């Protein structure tokens, strides 16, 4: 599918039907599926239970929420969001993400995080792309649930190779030492906001740092998980 051909404002990204959203309700059936996931890392898990990977080596974060699976056709939306200069897709992602989240929060008496922390890009990469897609997503979420976005608490000091270009085995090392925290007070409960979680190494490295600095509860909120 040629993504560029499909981008029209006011039309469904997939079938071109006229809609006031990035995709239509029919097409959404193909990618926002109710499937079981690990409550900690959001990997697919039909039993809705903590997965083997999290049992073996628990991550530094405590919970992950995602909107959809990184699979065809939704993967095209993410590629457009990241690489085809479509930051406005964040609005549609955030709308659906917060709808789902609000239901979960109400059902489980969960407490909202103190801040949203978008995964920072290295300044060189941000300059190339012109925007940080995780910050766009966080800013849109913040409009719906009124939690402040903090984009100054953390910066990316290592311009790492894109995780997607690396074999799984080297991704953890690639992000080691990639982030640094400012001297601001660290809130006790933080949601790290990201676009795509692949192995989880990037968000776990950031969570490790926050945890070391005294953050007690760390959630990951992402558009999608591979
Ligand atoms: Zn459609
Ligand atoms: Zn897990």
């Amino acid at each position: 599918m040629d993504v560029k051909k499909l981008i029209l404002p006011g039309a469904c990204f997939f079938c071109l039907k006229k809609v006031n959203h990035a995709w239509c309700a029919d097409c959404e059936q193909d990618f926002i599926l109710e499937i079981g996931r690990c409550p900690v890392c959001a990997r697919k898990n039909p039993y809705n239970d903590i997965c083997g990977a999290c049992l073996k080596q628990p991550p530094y974060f405590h919970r992950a929420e995602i909107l959809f699976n990184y699979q065809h056709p939704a993967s095209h939306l993410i590629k457009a969001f990241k690489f085809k200069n479509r930051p406005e897709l964040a609005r549609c992602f955030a709308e659906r993400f917060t709808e789902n989240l609000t239901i979960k929060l109400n059902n489980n008496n969960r407490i909202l995080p103190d801040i949203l922390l978008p995964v920072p890009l290295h300044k060189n990469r941000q300059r190339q792309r012109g925007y940080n897609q995780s910050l766009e997503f966080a800013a849109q979420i913040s409009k719906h649930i009124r939690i402040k976005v903090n984009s100054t608490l953390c910066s990316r000091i290592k311009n790492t190779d894109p995780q997607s270009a690396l074999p799984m085995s080297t991704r953890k090392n690639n992000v080691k030492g990639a982030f640094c925290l400012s001297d601001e007070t660290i809130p006790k409960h933080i949601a790290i906001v990201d676009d795509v979680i692949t192995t989880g190494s990037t968000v776990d490295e950031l969570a490790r740092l926050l945890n070391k600095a005294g953050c007690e509860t760390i959630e990951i909120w992402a558009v999608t998980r591979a």
Side-chain angles (χ1 to χ4, degrees):
M1 194 184 314
D2 181 354
V3 168
K4 257 186 284 183
K5 266 191 212 151
L6 293 176
I7 295 173
L8 290 175
C12 171
F13 185 87
F14 301 106
C15 70
L16 306 183
K17 199 187 291 170
K18 262 189 138 177
V19 274
N20 187 20
H21 197 76
W23 58 86
C24 74
D26 290 337
C27 290
E28 187 178 285
Q29 303 288 320
D30 294 338
F31 65 91
I32 300 195
L33 300 169
E34 278 303 317
I35 60 154
R37 293 183 212 287
C38 166
V40 178
C41 71
R43 277 190 188 91
K44 283 185 222 170
N45 182 348
Y47 306 107
N48 256 326
D49 210 353
I50 299 184
C51 73
C54 287
L55 284 174
K56 201 171 148 201
Q57 192 178 12
Y60 287 94
F61 53 85
H62 304 94
R63 178 185 293 130
E65 304 286 354
I66 62 161
L67 178 59
F68 53 70
N69 298 318
Y70 192 70
Q71 63 189 37
H72 180 84
S75 46
H76 292 288
L77 276 175
I78 285 290
K79 283 179 189 148
F81 184 44
K82 277 181 91 145
F83 304 117
K84 308 273 181 184
N85 198 21
R86 291 283 314 261
E88 78 284 2
L89 282 169
R91 181 179 63 84
C92 303
F93 294 146
E95 230 171 77
R96 296 292 280 113
F97 182 89
T98 49
E99 266 172 37
N100 295 351
L101 185 72
T102 310
I103 296 168
K104 280 193 194 170
L105 293 174
N106 291 342
N107 289 346
N108 300 295
N109 282 327
R110 266 168 54 184
I111 295 165
L112 283 174
D114 302 313
I115 60 159
L116 302 178
L117 176 65
V119 174
L121 287 181
H122 188 270
K123 57 182 188 323
N124 294 354
R125 179 120 1 117
Q126 174 139 358
R127 204 177 302 130
Q128 270 167 5
R129 189 170 293 164
Y131 59 97
N132 173 355
Q133 69 281 1
S134 301
L135 173 58
E136 300 291 327
F137 183 43
Q140 292 294 330
I141 292 175
S142 155
K143 286 188 183 168
H144 291 277
I145 50 174
R146 309 214 173 269
I147 304 175
K148 277 205 178 121
V149 178
N150 185 323
S151 55
T152 53
L153 179 62
C154 178
S155 48
R156 197 159 188 144
I157 47 174
K158 233 169 92 181
N159 197 6
T160 51
D161 295 322
Q163 292 287 79
S164 55
L166 296 171
M168 293 290 175
S169 55
T170 59
R171 289 182 182 192
K172 213 172 181 68
N173 276 337
N174 182 45
V175 291
K176 190 110 184 114
F179 302 105
C180 107
L181 298 178
S182 73
D183 52 8
E184 292 171 51
T185 311
I186 307 290
K188 293 285 176 218
H189 185 175
I190 293 178
I192 297 173
V193 179
D194 204 0
D195 53 352
V196 188
I197 310 174
T198 45
T199 60
S201 304
T202 305
V203 284
D204 202 35
E205 171 63 10
L206 185 45
R208 185 183 69 81
L209 214 61
L210 294 169
N211 177 272
K212 214 168 87 183
C215 182
E216 289 165 2
T217 309
I218 302 164
E219 307 192 20
I220 311 296
W221 293 0
V223 181
T224 176
R225 152 127 233 178

